[in-house]
Amino acid sequence: MAQTMAAIPVFVAVVDGNSFTAAADRLGVTKSAVSRRIAELEEDLGVRLLHRTTRKLSLTEAGDRYLEFARRSLQEARLAEDAATALQDLPRGRLRINTPMSFGRLHVAPTIPAFLARYPDVEVEMTMDDKFVDIVGGGYDLAIRVGRLADSTLVARKLAPNHTVLCASPDYLASHPAPVTPEDLLDHNCLRYSYYSEAGEWTLLRGDEAQHVRVTGNYQVNNSEALREALVRGCGIGRIPRFIVDPDLAAGRLRCVLSEYDLPAQDIYAVWPERAYLPRKVRVFVDFLAEQGWAPFWDVERDRR
């Protein structure tokens, strides 16, 4: 029975990742260890849970039934762990964090050493990925989200505003007259961030009026720092967060365009699954992030534009 219970997180990770390799990466073990654990589980139960082919995995009928109870068992185990660890005097254990690539590298990662020094019994595992992830399905304790939050059961705490700007390099603007109206963007090479929900349509606000412009350009990329590099090198005009380009604006490597218009407001949040008992490791990390006071670094005065 103990061996079967220990295999439940492995089985759920294999199903969620749709592969032994993804499960091994998530659990921090080898692929062979995952394969062996699943084989032992099937032998203990006396049924096959997974169909295996060279291209994909799929659940058998027995596996589909088992998954329902396995998820429930895993959730109950996590709730039990939360209830116990919520009473810890000192936070401890593994803290799994998901954060966007650029914000994580520029602003979260530099804070981790100080957090670990303050809480040496916490082990941080941080994944930086610009793709939207399922926090619960991915087994994360919390995530950093940039943008407008969709309705969900997640709990959210605002950490800072996220202001975005339209900008280009002086070299680009020297050879391409700066746009005066939003419609002028149609005559420019507009560089786009792939994962932005409105990558092909930029919204500009002036008072109560919103203008929507379908933009085009010869470069689209799924990483904001790569977008920033193209902007600095004079490839075009881009829509990009201040937390990435504020040093470039201050140094004159980039200049804002259409600065009399605003872009839709967004914010930066810490989000985590709703729980009856929030583990102390999560609570202290969210409080630690809130202490950072990030906003003044990129929430600069309008005249810097």
Side-chain angles (χ1 to χ4, degrees), residues 106-186:
L106 293 172
H107 301 290
V108 181
T111 72
I112 296 300
F115 176 79
L116 294 175
R118 186 183 299 184
Y119 302 106
D121 293 327
V122 177
E123 176 186 346
V124 172
E125 179 184 333
M126 185 165 70
T127 301
M128 294 187 285
D129 191 343
D130 284 339
K131 289 183 178 180
F132 183 88
V133 299
D134 178 357
I135 298 177
V136 176
Y140 292 102
D141 292 296
L142 78 154
I144 307 299
R145 294 272 168 85
V146 178
R148 295 184 294 273
L149 295 181
D151 292 336
S152 73
T153 59
L154 297 176
V155 180
R157 179 171 177 178
K158 180 180 173 180
L159 300 175
N162 174 42
H163 296 306
T164 56
V165 293
L166 298 180
C167 58
S169 73
D171 287 345
Y172 177 84
L173 295 175
S175 57
H176 302 79
V180 177
T181 68
E183 291 79 7
D184 292 339
L185 291 170
L186 299 174

Side-chain angles (χ1 to χ4, degrees), residues 59 64 85 97 188 210 214 232 246 296:
L59 289 167
D64 189 53
T85 58
I97 306 163
H188 283 271
R214 297 292 301 179
V232 169
D246 200 49

Side-chain angles (χ1 to χ4, degrees), residues 50-119:
L50 297 166
H51 291 302
R52 304 164 177 78
T53 69
T54 56
R55 295 188 176 183
K56 67 176 183 178
L57 294 174
S58 60
L59 289 167
T60 64
E61 182 179 1
D64 189 53
R65 290 186 178 185
Y66 187 75
L67 179 63
E68 176 185 353
F69 292 95
R71 288 196 189 281
R72 191 181 307 168
S73 175
L74 188 59
Q75 179 63 20
E76 290 296 326
R78 287 172 176 164
L79 290 174
E81 180 181 342
D82 290 348
T85 58
L87 299 177
Q88 291 175 338
D89 291 332
L90 295 175
R92 67 183 70 247
R94 177 176 294 186
L95 179 66
R96 299 191 73 240
I97 306 163
N98 179 271
T99 180
M101 182 68 71
S102 296
F103 189 79
R105 193 190 72 78
L106 293 172
H107 301 290
V108 181
T111 72
I112 296 300
F115 176 79
L116 294 175
R118 186 183 299 184
Y119 302 106

Side-chain angles (χ1 to χ4, degrees), residues 5-22:
M5 293 298 294
I8 287 176
V10 180
F11 174 69
V12 173
V14 169
V15 174
D16 288 342
N18 200 33
S19 77
F20 284 15
T21 300

